Amino acid sequence: METELSKRLGIEHAIFGFTPFPAVAAAISRAGGMGVLGAVRYTAPDELARSLEWLEAHTDGRPYGLDVVMPAKKVEGVTEADVEAMIPEGHRQYVREVLAKHGVPELEPGDPTGWRITGWMEQVARSQLDVAFDFPIGLLANALGSPPADVVRRAHDRGVPVAALAGSARHARHHQEAGIDIVVAQGYEAGGHTGEIAGMVLVPEVVRAVDPLPVLAAGGIGTGEQVAAGLALGAQGVWLGSVWLTTTEAELPSSALIRKLLAAGSGDTVRSRALTGKPARQLRTEWTDAWDGPAGPGALPMPLQGLLVADAITRIQKYEVEPLLGTPVGQIVGQMREVRSVQAIFDDLTRGFERAVDRMNRIAGRS
């Protein structure tokens, strides 16, 4: 599974694995791909530094990357308290009602609170980069499109290629104009924030739009045959995220959540604004139904929704309230049937890729 891009980046397989878990990222890199650590949960620079130090010690000298959340446009002077004040009381009451209906206990004194908006603010991402550029990262990816121009220049000055996710050919062209080195064409099937165009349509559109920039295919990929399909559509690699959630190296907070992931079918996800305020593919639960149905007040725009539900999600996860328990995940969840190691997944990817190539060679009349 080697391409021109994988050779350039010094990795054996053109597999890029996004994950919030350092142990998973390290295992992906050791297996011959590029582990890409999600940085959004690191609101304190010293925490990120410790994780990067750990990666350095556990990747056997192989490349790894970092994924940040940084808007291209800056909003000055907005604090978390300012955003908090924008949340309507009716929405707060609705959260209390949903939790009460399902008997979700309160957090105990001293319990960590949930996701905070600070992880999504530009100044936090910049502090993350101050830390990251002290390490020999092999890739900087941005989940919100093209990062600011000075960040791209800063990465390039250090020889670090920059990748950005795109859900349309138009977005991809904007990335090319901004000096991005790699475009991740993320199809509708993907977990987390995603657009409305399926990968089979999106990938070749993006490949044509940004030629000769390399493109990674993303969304609904979890087998070697799907890797081969992505490369056949013109991509120079694939970007996988959901498939790592049920690995032995992952650090999911709930055994009940793992059971739900393993039991889910490909039709058991939904694009919902219930988590962050932007459409994000996730397990369909009674929590998503409550926000997407006509009886609810409707999700608030990002980042208000995320701030509104942060502590509620923490309570749901802590007490493993299964009807409400979910996570961002793509449609590939229907093929995630057991807990396996990262290396076992790579072995299956390699075998499936070989089968697909052999099949196409036979169709083409080659031995």
Side-chain angles (χ1 to χ4, degrees):
M1 297 184 288
E2 190 177 59
T3 66
E4 180 182 336
L5 177 63
S6 67
K7 293 176 184 176
R8 188 193 319 166
L9 296 179
I11 57 178
E12 181 181 355
H13 302 299
I15 305 291
F16 297 74
F18 167 80
T19 175
F21 307 124
V24 175
I28 292 168
S29 291
R30 290 196 306 270
M34 180 173 284
V36 182
L37 179 65
V40 71
R41 68 190 179 114
Y42 294 98
T43 56
D46 59 331
E47 293 176 356
L48 177 60
R50 285 194 295 271
S51 286
L52 291 176
E53 287 170 356
W54 191 92
L55 275 173
E56 273 290 295
H58 292 84
T59 50
D60 295 342
R62 300 193 178 195
Y64 59 89
L66 188 73
D67 180 277
V68 297
V69 177
M70 178 175 281
K73 296 180 180 179
K74 186 174 183 178
V75 179
E76 298 281 0
V78 177
T79 67
E80 185 170 332
D82 295 330
V83 178
E84 184 92 44
M86 300 177 189
I87 298 174
E89 178 56 32
H91 281 70
R92 296 185 188 278
Q93 178 60 30
Y94 186 68
V95 170
R96 291 191 288 267
E97 290 172 359
V98 173
L99 296 178
K101 176 182 176 182
H102 291 273
V104 183
E106 297 279 353
L107 294 175
E108 298 175 358
D111 279 346
T113 55
W115 172 92
R116 310 306 294 177
I117 184 179
T118 48
W120 296 72
M121 299 179 78
E122 182 183 345
Q123 61 265 35
V124 174
R126 287 185 178 276
S127 70
Q128 292 167 347
L129 294 177
D130 290 339
V131 170
F133 286 139
D134 286 336
F135 293 83
I137 59 173
L139 179 72
L140 174 65
N142 188 36
L144 289 183
S146 302
D150 68 294
V151 171
V152 176
R153 289 194 299 269
R154 190 177 176 190
H156 288 169
D157 287 346
R158 288 162 174 78
V160 179
V162 181
L165 275 65
S168 71
R170 177 175 59 86
H171 293 156
R173 283 189 288 267
H174 288 166
H175 297 341
Q176 185 177 38
E177 293 164 1
I180 297 302
D181 305 288
I182 302 167
V183 176
V184 182
Q186 181 175 270
Y188 170 86
E189 310 94 329
H193 296 128
T194 189
E196 299 181 350
I197 304 175
M200 186 64 71
V201 175
L202 178 67
V203 172
E205 284 187 352
V206 171
V207 168
R208 288 193 297 269
V210 301
D211 184 62
L213 280 189
V215 173
L216 302 180
I221 299 174
T223 69
E225 287 85 353
Q226 290 167 321
V227 173
L231 301 189
L233 293 174
Q236 288 203 34
V238 293
W239 177 276
L240 279 63
S242 298
V243 72
W244 315 115
L245 288 173
T246 53
T247 56
T248 54
E249 295 89 347
E251 303 163 25
L252 284 181
S254 165
S255 58
L257 180 55
I258 294 173
R259 290 195 300 271
K260 290 189 74 170
L261 287 169
L262 296 178
S266 56
D268 292 327
T269 69
V270 62
R271 284 175 75 246
S272 172
R273 299 177 185 269
L275 191 59
T276 69
K278 291 186 68 173
R281 186 170 297 286
Q282 54 201 279
L283 282 180
R284 182 174 181 176
T285 66
E286 292 190 28
W287 177 261
T288 61
D289 288 349
W291 285 99
D292 297 338
L300 296 170
M302 188 181 192
L304 301 182
Q305 182 72 12
L307 188 58
L308 168 68
V309 305
D311 289 350
I313 297 299
T314 300
R315 290 165 60 185
I316 292 166
Q317 291 177 345
K318 175 182 177 179
Y319 298 108
E320 298 193 338
V321 184
E322 293 205 29
L324 303 177
L325 190 62
T327 185
V329 69
Q331 292 179 330
I332 193 64
V333 70
Q335 297 187 51
M336 294 158 51
R337 284 288 170 253
E338 59 182 336
V339 175
R340 298 182 293 166
S341 69
V342 168
Q343 184 61 61
I345 289 177
F346 262 84
D347 292 342
D348 280 352
L349 290 172
T350 302
R351 288 191 290 265
F353 182 82
E354 291 173 348
R355 287 194 298 268
V357 172
D358 288 345
R359 185 180 303 118
M360 296 310 297
N361 281 335
R362 290 196 300 272
I363 291 172
R366 302 186 182 96
S367 59

